[in-house]
Amino acid sequence: MDESKKESEDAGTSGGSGSRAVMRAMLSYPLFTASLLVLAVVLALLASGQSGPAQLIGSVWAGLVVLWVARGMVRDVMAGHWGVDILAVIAITATVAVGEYVAALVVGLMLSGGEALEDYAAGRARRELNALLDRTPRTARRVLADGSLEEISAAEVVPGDLLLLRPAEVLPVDGHLEDDETEFDESSITGESLPVTRLRGEYLLSGSVNGASAVMMRAASTAADSQYARIVDMVSAAAESRAPVVRLADRYAVPFTVLSLTIAGLAWWYWSDPVVFAEVLVVATPCPLLIAAPVAFLGGMGRAARAGVIVKDAGTLERLSNVRTVAYDKTGTLTYGRPELVAVEPVPGSAWASEDGAQELLRLTASAEQYSSHVVAASVQEAARTRGLVLLPAEDAREEATNGVAATVDGRAVVVGKSRFVAEYVGEVAEATLQPGHLAVYVAVDGKFAGTVVMADQLRADAADTVAALAGLGVIDQLVLSGDAQSTADHVAADAGLHRAFGELLPQDKVRIVGQVPHPPVAMVGDGVNDAPALAAADVGIAMGGRGATAASESADVVILTEHLGRVATAVRIGQRTMHVALQSIWIGIALSVGLMLVAATGSIPAVVGALSQEVVDLVVIVNALRAIRPGRSESAAMKLQVSRSAADAS
């Protein structure tokens, strides 16, 4: 959208601010403004008894409007894109041909004003999306070495800077809290309505609002690479998406045009009067088809953003509404993705079998894991640091995604990862005997299998509820796709209420299974780098991006900004609601237009009255489409239940 249209939209959204806002709006849509002026001139000439000049001016301008619309229509038809503009062109041409030039001007005014009307309605629906853009932090207060403060642009912040956050100030970048404890309002980022307490060292999301106390934070990113900036980029792209508008309008364009021409032709044949043909077509203009979809879809995208769910493009909402299979990654998706250390189990009789040996084995393992991006690697490092172990730098570190890391640590060759990965370096390894829900990190040192580090990850509190909610929304099949052991995947699936799980998968295996599900369309839910290919391959990729964007959120169509899996059901629910409202609005427009056509076919609606009545149809369609901004009754009840459970989990 260009700047002039944006100004017009903002003016419409706020209700206007006087004559300057009206002038800006008129200049933004010159064809509409000119049509309005021509109509005023024609009516003035008619009032003064000058019907000849009035007919000449009106007919010529209507012809120019037809040429303007026909130019785009022909271009679309040559590209194989059949739209509904052809009906408007025929209606204007017919009314001019039978001398109903005033009606032709009204139709032309309505057609040229449709863009302005759509932008105004879209501006109302887009307010939730624009709220994120309006709150983008502009400045930051950097603490210098001597303790003094320096106010800088948010773009000047670099990782490592110590920043002062004043009460109620928006965080300019991602970072870590340097004070003991404080509260943050993360509602604009995650959709959580309650303030969140953060402790020293915890990760802070840019765009959050500081509480009542001034605190210090250590920047972990630049403004351009922060969570908030990524959200703003996704919102901007989402707001400009128009994919389903074309699909939905064109889906009904050809049959609606054929029906309209059939009714008009039969009326002409029955009455032997071409004027009736024009009167029917006047009330058959296609504005309801063109307006309903964009208003509803933008409203749905705004609703999703308010709930902490960023939908990257409008077409995703349509696909969400039809999802029949949901596939989940395990670690970080169905589970919290923060495995805790259960035990270090060295090979019996080895040099690592003592208590000190086990500690050293953990330190070597964690040191090598510093060079892995997997969530389990981060948990191993955290477990080592919690036990007071100082991690060592590594040489020649190399990672094989989802499998493991090989590195030289303190002069020792350390290999960490899955059993088959470690076995490639040292030969046979002893498979660990694991309890359900446990996972093993296999370790080899200096060419010999040294033992395992056993971890356990907890199922998300809302996992089972999410599975049940999606089943209630019409999802036929739900399954787990995991790179972990089959026994672990089975255990997590059973706890979540799922009956199918696939373990020990590589990224390409996940892509293959996603492509072979028996009940498409399929949504894939994941959070890690290894999920990115499957997210891209699925009909709808949903990334759990609550702790920052990864390759998963870059590949996904939907990014959930909270730590609540239940937002997956929320996204599907919003998609279904939006699609329902969009289709309902289109059918209301079609029904009202057909009703008016049938009445006009009797010859009882003058062409001018018919043109004005179609404007009323447009307004009815817009008002109904705006309902997508609000949840339906069943959706409201489900969201209230989800909020209460989230609050209980937080407490």
Side-chain angles (χ1 to χ4, degrees):
M1 181 182 297
D2 59 37
E3 197 62 34
S4 62
K5 286 185 181 181
K6 187 177 187 304
E7 290 178 0
S8 166
E9 179 187 302
D10 292 342
T13 303
S14 62
S17 57
S19 59
R20 284 185 299 178
V22 173
M23 184 61 67
R24 285 198 302 268
M26 294 181 69
L27 293 175
S28 299
Y29 302 96
L31 185 61
F32 171 74
T33 302
S35 297
L36 185 62
L37 291 175
V38 170
L39 180 61
V41 169
V42 168
L43 293 177
L45 290 173
L46 287 175
S48 62
Q50 302 180 60
S51 59
Q55 182 169 3
L56 177 63
I57 293 173
S59 299
V60 169
W61 180 252
L64 292 175
V65 172
V66 166
L67 291 176
W68 177 267
V69 176
R71 185 184 64 171
M73 180 192 72
V74 171
R75 187 168 56 244
D76 289 343
V77 170
M78 291 180 66
H81 182 79
W82 291 85
V84 290
D85 288 344
I86 186 173
L87 193 58
V89 169
I90 295 174
I92 296 175
T93 303
T95 48
V96 170
V98 299
E100 294 284 355
Y101 57 91
V102 176
L105 288 177
V106 173
V107 174
L109 180 68
M110 179 179 63
L111 190 64
S112 59
E115 185 181 12
L117 196 61
E118 179 183 330
D119 283 347
Y120 172 78
R124 294 248 349 247
R126 197 182 273 121
R127 282 184 299 185
E128 295 295 337
L129 297 176
N130 287 342
L132 285 171
L133 298 165
D134 295 339
R135 295 179 64 259
T136 303
R138 301 283 190 267
T139 61
R141 293 173 182 83
R142 182 162 57 196
V143 181
L144 303 179
D146 60 3
S148 60
L149 293 178
E150 175 188 22
E151 184 163 321
I152 59 175
S153 166
E156 297 178 59
V157 176
V158 297
D161 280 351
L162 184 63
L163 305 178
L164 172 68
L165 298 175
R166 293 180 177 175
E169 189 170 39
V170 179
L171 276 66
V173 296
D174 300 337
H176 297 274
L177 182 63
E178 291 288 309
D179 283 273
D180 291 335
E181 179 180 330
T182 193
E183 286 189 341
F184 289 93
D185 176 4
E186 299 180 353
S187 58
S188 64
I189 305 298
T190 65
E192 296 295 334
S193 58
L194 299 176
V196 177
T197 300
R198 297 296 178 199
L199 306 177
R200 180 183 293 273
E202 284 199 81
Y203 197 74
L204 307 178
L205 298 175
S206 57
S208 303
V209 180
N210 186 27
S213 303
V215 295
M216 297 287 189
M217 69 169 285
R218 183 75 62 181
S221 70
T222 63
D225 292 331
S226 68
Q227 171 83 342
Y228 197 77
R230 285 187 289 260
I231 294 171
V232 168
D233 289 342
M234 287 188 287
V235 168
S236 299
E240 295 303 319
S241 170
R242 305 292 296 276
V245 179
V246 176
R247 283 199 297 271
L248 287 179
D250 289 351
R251 192 176 300 170
Y252 300 94
V254 173
F256 182 70
T257 300
V258 171
L259 176 63
S260 302
L261 292 175
T262 300
I263 294 175
L266 289 174
W268 186 359
W269 170 78
Y270 183 82
W271 296 104
S272 301
D273 186 355
V275 173
V276 181
F277 177 81
E279 290 173 346
V280 172
L281 292 185
V282 160
V283 298
T285 51
C287 283
L289 295 183
L290 297 172
I291 291 173
V295 174
F297 275 84
L298 284 167
M301 291 160 65
R303 285 241 357 270
R306 192 165 66 244
V309 179
I310 296 296
V311 179
K312 289 187 179 181
D313 61 79
T316 299
L317 283 173
E318 182 174 358
R319 296 194 299 274
L320 274 171
S321 70
N322 295 319
V323 164
R324 291 297 174 265
T325 297
V326 176
Y328 305 90
D329 171 52
K330 184 187 74 67
T331 305
T333 303
L334 280 177
T335 65
Y336 285 104
R338 297 186 291 271
E340 298 177 356
L341 180 64
V342 174
V344 178
E345 298 181 349
V347 173
S350 69
W352 314 102
S354 66
E355 182 176 342
D356 290 342
Q359 288 286 87
E360 180 62 16
L361 182 61
L362 176 60
R363 183 166 79 139
L364 291 174
T365 303
S367 298
E369 291 279 45
Q370 292 178 101
Y371 302 90
S372 172
S373 59
H374 198 279
V375 290
V376 174
S379 296
V380 172
Q381 295 169 60
E382 182 180 352
R385 291 192 181 100
T386 301
R387 285 154 180 78
L389 301 177
V390 178
L391 304 190
L392 302 171
E395 301 173 4
D396 302 325
R398 55 196 179 281
E399 179 186 17
E400 183 175 316
T402 78
N403 282 310
V405 175
T408 302
V409 180
D410 196 24
R412 293 175 175 271
V414 180
V415 182
V416 177
K418 295 180 179 178
S419 59
R420 61 184 177 184
F421 176 74
V422 175
E424 291 177 3
Y425 286 83
V426 300
E428 187 176 350
V429 301
E431 292 289 337
T433 302
L434 298 174
Q435 299 294 322
H438 289 185
L439 61 93
V441 178
Y442 293 81
V443 187
V445 180
D446 292 333
K448 295 182 179 180
F449 178 55
T452 57
V453 175
V454 181
M455 312 288 289
D457 197 3
Q458 300 298 317
L459 186 73
R460 289 185 184 272
D462 58 349
D465 289 338
T466 301
V467 170
L470 287 170
L473 291 170
V475 175
I476 299 172
D477 192 14
Q478 299 183 64
L479 58 149
V480 178
L481 305 180
S482 176
D484 290 323
Q486 184 66 50
S487 60
T488 301
D490 289 337
H491 173 73
V492 170
D495 283 352
L498 300 171
H499 303 293
R500 288 211 297 155
F502 298 86
E504 303 177 19
L505 300 178
L506 296 174
Q508 58 266 33
D509 297 325
K510 293 183 179 182
V511 171
R512 174 178 52 79
I513 293 174
V514 163
Q516 295 176 349
V517 295
H519 304 291
V522 57
M524 174 70 194
V525 190
D527 76 311
V529 173
N530 61 315
D531 299 320
L535 291 172
D539 296 290
V540 181
I542 303 176
M544 298 289 291
R547 285 299 167 207
T550 64
S553 59
E554 293 297 324
S555 303
D557 305 295
V558 179
V559 180
I560 295 175
L561 302 176
T562 75
E563 287 293 307
H564 298 297
L565 186 63
R567 291 295 193 273
V568 174
T570 299
V572 173
R573 197 176 289 115
I574 289 175
Q576 291 181 352
R577 163 75 172 170
T578 302
M579 195 65 183
H580 171 75
V581 171
L583 290 175
Q584 183 187 68
S585 300
I586 287 174
W587 279 110
I588 287 175
I590 290 175
L592 292 176
S593 295
V594 170
L596 287 172
M597 281 189 279
L598 293 175
V599 175
T602 66
S604 58
I605 300 182
V608 173
V609 175
L612 293 174
S613 66
Q614 187 64 7
E615 286 286 3
V616 177
V617 174
D618 294 344
L619 290 174
V620 171
V621 168
I622 288 173
V623 170
N624 189 74
L626 284 171
R627 291 171 50 237
I629 297 175
R630 302 184 302 275
R633 293 181 181 178
S634 59
E635 188 178 352
S636 296
M639 291 179 69
K640 287 179 180 178
L641 179 61
Q642 188 178 77
V643 169
S644 65
R645 284 173 174 166
S646 297
D649 292 343
S651 63

